[in-house]
Amino acid sequence: MSSASENTLFGMGNPLLDISAVVDKDFLDKYGLKPNDQILAENHHKALFDEIVQRNKVEYHAGGSTQNSVKIAQWMIQNPHKVATFFGCIGVDQFGQILKQKAEEAHVDAHYYEQSQEPTGTCAACITGDNRSLVANLAAANCYKKEKHLDLDGNWELVKKAKVYYIAGFFLTVSPESILKVAKHASENNKIFGLNLSAPFISQFFKEPLMQVLPYVDILFGNETEAATFASVLGFGTEDIAEIAKKAQNLPKENAKRQRIVVFTQGKDDTVATVGDKVTMFPVLDIDQNDIVDTNGAGDAFVGGFLSAQVQEQPLEECIRAGHYAANVIIRRVGCTFPEKPNYQ
């Protein structure tokens, strides 16, 4: 039995139904996609969603970055159920029903804001070899409203119950005011607030809301590409990942009781993390290239594993070890899916 209790972990983000299929280079070229990227769908991508569904062997999985992470955290912890609370917006439709059912099966305490203006969001994962190009059609996920959901007494009580908070940077495009309310609550009550850089476009095009939230961030996550973009947007003047981690750690912070932790993953290369005033490299678990099925969700899984240890107040090294384990499991499978139980000691 873990030391975590119900609703200790709080996540808020874009609940999406992942639609994954193996495609070829022609498909990527047709829609102007890079093999390994994540973007928001524009008008010329609309046909992509219809086309990918027509292709052979489409898999549907409950997704969305933050929801993936809290689901993995719950899986790592196993018992009790409902350690994680999740908020986000869905549509009143079949995909929305699937998301509700999948959240329940994963024992996540999901409280969705449901509206009928927009359909439930989807994310097309276009897989070529080891690469995955993600195209998110936020739709309903984009309709989250602070005053219609987060501010409601019953919902805010769930927020207050948590000790650790995590939101992917993707949500900065939807409801920065919701993120700020949660982040300030965490900071004022000396709780832990984690944020992910999520994708290069967040630092590039949503720098203003990102920098508004950053002073409240206790743990900043990202991968090497996101870290490099963040550094260039902020004019750090370095491409060295350890230097970037250090500079990000030293950006202004509201709650001085907690030193900011910065954790950057680099695929198969060492994970870089600030430990106190030093930057340390943590090697990932070895894996045979042939065992890698799908790297989609590896970053989300890392965060999920990390958070599962964090809510149990484990030291940073343990959090990273749990993150590496979860990511290692996820990349052997299609989508952000996992076996019934973790084999983790």
Side-chain angles (χ1 to χ4, degrees), residues 220-234:
L220 182 68
F221 296 98
N223 67 21
E224 72 278 43
T225 325
E226 293 149 11
T229 307
F230 180 69
S232 111
V233 166
L234 288 186

Side-chain angles (χ1 to χ4, degrees), residues 71 77 85 87 122 178 187 204 287 320 322 344:
K71 199 186 299 179
I77 290 166
T85 313
F87 288 3
T122 47
S178 296
S187 182
Q204 288 166 315
I287 185 168
I320 290 173
Y344 180 72

Side-chain angles (χ1 to χ4, degrees), residues 268-283:
K268 61 183 186 314
D269 296 325
D270 294 2
T271 294
V272 177
T274 57
V275 182
D277 294 330
K278 293 197 294 290
V279 177
T280 309
M281 304 296 202
F282 295 87

Side-chain angles (χ1 to χ4, degrees), residues 276-331:
D277 294 330
K278 293 197 294 290
V279 177
T280 309
M281 304 296 202
F282 295 87
V284 301
L285 294 164
D286 282 334
I287 185 168
D288 186 325
Q289 276 310 108
N290 300 325
D291 291 336
I292 298 178
V293 175
D294 176 10
T295 54
N296 185 19
D300 297 342
F302 172 82
V303 172
F306 187 104
L307 294 171
S308 73
Q310 183 70 62
V311 296
Q312 299 180 74
E313 298 175 8
Q314 302 276 343
L316 178 65
E317 293 75 4
E318 272 307 302
C319 296
I320 290 173
R321 193 169 78 88
H324 284 164
Y325 169 79
N328 185 274
V329 170
I330 267 41
I331 58 180

Side-chain angles (χ1 to χ4, degrees), residues 195 209-217 220 230 234 248 251-252 260:
L195 183 80
L210 174 62
M211 297 317 287
Q212 277 181 314
V213 173
L214 213 65
Y216 305 100
V217 175
L220 182 68
F230 180 69
L234 288 186
L251 290 167
R260 180 178 295 124

